[in-house]
Amino acid sequence: MIVARAPGKLVALGEYAVLDGAPALVLALDRYAEATIAASADGVCHLETRAPLPVERRFAPGTASGAGLVDLVAATASPPLAWQATLDSSAFFVGPAKLGLGSSAAVLCAWAGAFAAFARAAGRDLPAPALPALIDLHRAFQGGRGSGLDVAASLTGGAITFSLDSSGLARIGSVRLPNSVGFASIFAGKSASTREFVAHYRAWTQAHPREAAAIHRRLSATAEAGCTAARGNAAGAFIEAIADYGRGLQDLGVAIGADIVTAEHREIGEHARRYGVAYKVSGAGGGDLGLACALDAQALEAFKTSVGNRGFRVIDFGLAEAGLIVEDLSEGQPQ
């Protein structure tokens, strides 16, 4: 049996602006999607997904499973294979609510890694997953949208900088976060659709190119400053960039007429400022998660306790130093 797992992500800097060439800073988190795959005993494909509730599917090789990411990856093997597999992304949910930690990208990386190893063992000439191909698959799943930063974080792990060059190709680099900065994430209580918010943003940029260019310059400069601060271990400047980018996202939401920073996130942000904690929405906004960071560990802990008492869920996380890991349990060796 092949087992693979890939971490989720949290965006620290670069939301929206990354779509037009600005840098982003992304953290791979120790929440994992796991995929297992083995040969089918009856010549039929069997798939169990846990996201978070289990759903079982049974279908003929080469036919649609009803799980889009699974089918996109499985179509890369020809002729089709018969297999039995599980995909578990329950770590990306709180009850029925999706947290916004990049579950689809993590599932894609884990499934693509497991499936490629299984296909090679079955004699198919299928390479291990590479970032450009994975980003293309994820964009196909998302209707052609998305920068690919979540895929990059899941594949590589760690803290990374991510940007798109003029031809749309991804460029990534590793970065070490300032040692003295403490982090926490707060779930605002409702899930959001990244796809819808990105589509709204794209429509607005096309209709208002001059205003869009001005906001892009502001967000890009802030993201650049934050990435530079991280590289230079300048903790104070890094936290300032986090706070500035949060204000920029709020202004962007007002400009485009979308609730990027929801009332819940505004409440959390105002509360954070009372404790001297920097706070911003992480990702496309509209709900999901916010990122809190501070130099003062006691202040951050006090903020977390207080905001938890207000009914918001604090998501403590650690950095996932490794990205996609694939293992053949029959051999006990990473792929």
Side-chain angles (χ1 to χ4, degrees):
M1 180 171 67
I2 306 293
V3 178
R5 70 174 194 166
K9 68 87 179 75
L10 199 66
V11 184
L13 294 163
E15 295 94 337
Y16 291 100
V18 72
L19 296 169
D20 297 304
L25 197 155
V26 194
L27 314 179
L29 305 185
D30 55 357
R31 296 286 181 107
Y32 296 92
E34 184 174 274
T36 68
I37 185 169
S40 172
D42 59 7
V44 175
C45 292
H46 300 264
L47 174 66
E48 180 183 353
T49 56
R50 302 168 189 164
L53 298 177
V55 176
E56 294 185 358
R57 299 172 171 89
R58 184 176 184 274
F59 49 96
T63 62
S65 69
L69 283 175
V70 171
D71 296 338
L72 285 168
V73 172
T76 59
S78 182
L81 294 162
W83 41 263
Q84 55 185 14
T86 62
L87 287 177
D88 187 351
S89 58
S90 56
F92 294 80
F93 290 78
V94 171
K98 186 186 294 186
L99 290 171
L101 291 172
S103 60
S104 65
V107 166
L108 171 63
C109 288
W111 172 238
F115 186 82
F118 173 75
R120 289 196 299 275
R124 303 292 195 273
D125 184 18
L126 202 62
L131 183 59
L134 287 173
I135 289 177
D136 286 345
L137 287 172
H138 200 239
R139 285 176 179 160
F141 173 70
Q142 294 187 309
R145 299 185 180 93
S147 66
L149 60 77
D150 44 3
V151 177
S154 290
L155 182 64
T156 66
I160 64 169
T161 56
F162 178 97
S163 61
L164 298 172
D165 66 17
S166 58
S167 61
L169 294 177
R171 298 180 295 186
I172 61 173
S174 63
V175 63
R176 187 167 297 277
L177 297 174
N179 296 329
S180 53
V181 176
F183 294 93
S185 188
I186 315 297
F187 182 53
K190 62 182 180 181
S191 301
S193 171
T194 296
R195 189 181 308 186
E196 292 178 6
F197 273 76
V198 170
H200 192 136
Y201 169 76
R202 280 300 194 201
W204 176 80
T205 58
Q206 292 172 7
H208 303 86
R210 184 175 297 180
E211 189 176 358
I215 288 183
H216 174 75
R217 285 193 297 271
R218 173 186 172 187
L219 293 177
S220 181
T222 304
E224 288 273 12
C227 290
T228 299
R231 294 189 192 99
N233 198 31
F238 178 75
I239 288 178
E240 183 178 349
I242 294 287
D244 284 348
Y245 208 91
R247 290 188 286 269
L249 287 175
Q250 184 160 338
D251 291 344
L252 174 63
V254 172
I256 71 177
D259 209 12
I260 291 175
V261 181
T262 63
E264 294 82 2
H265 280 302
R266 291 195 296 273
E267 179 184 345
I268 297 167
E270 290 169 3
H271 201 58
R273 283 190 287 276
R274 297 192 191 108
Y275 286 85
V277 172
Y279 184 81
K280 64 176 284 293
V281 169
S282 177
D288 286 346
L289 294 172
L291 176 66
C293 61
L295 289 174
D296 186 334
Q298 290 184 335
L300 184 60
E301 288 301 317
F303 160 72
K304 287 160 57 178
T305 298
S306 180
V307 81
N309 290 339
R310 288 173 171 258
F312 297 105
R313 183 180 289 268
V314 178
I315 310 294
D316 285 313
F317 63 86
L319 194 66
E321 296 290 354
L324 171 65
I325 296 175
V326 182
E327 188 177 8
D328 187 339
L329 294 189
S330 64
E331 300 176 359
Q333 297 293 324
Q335 299 291 301

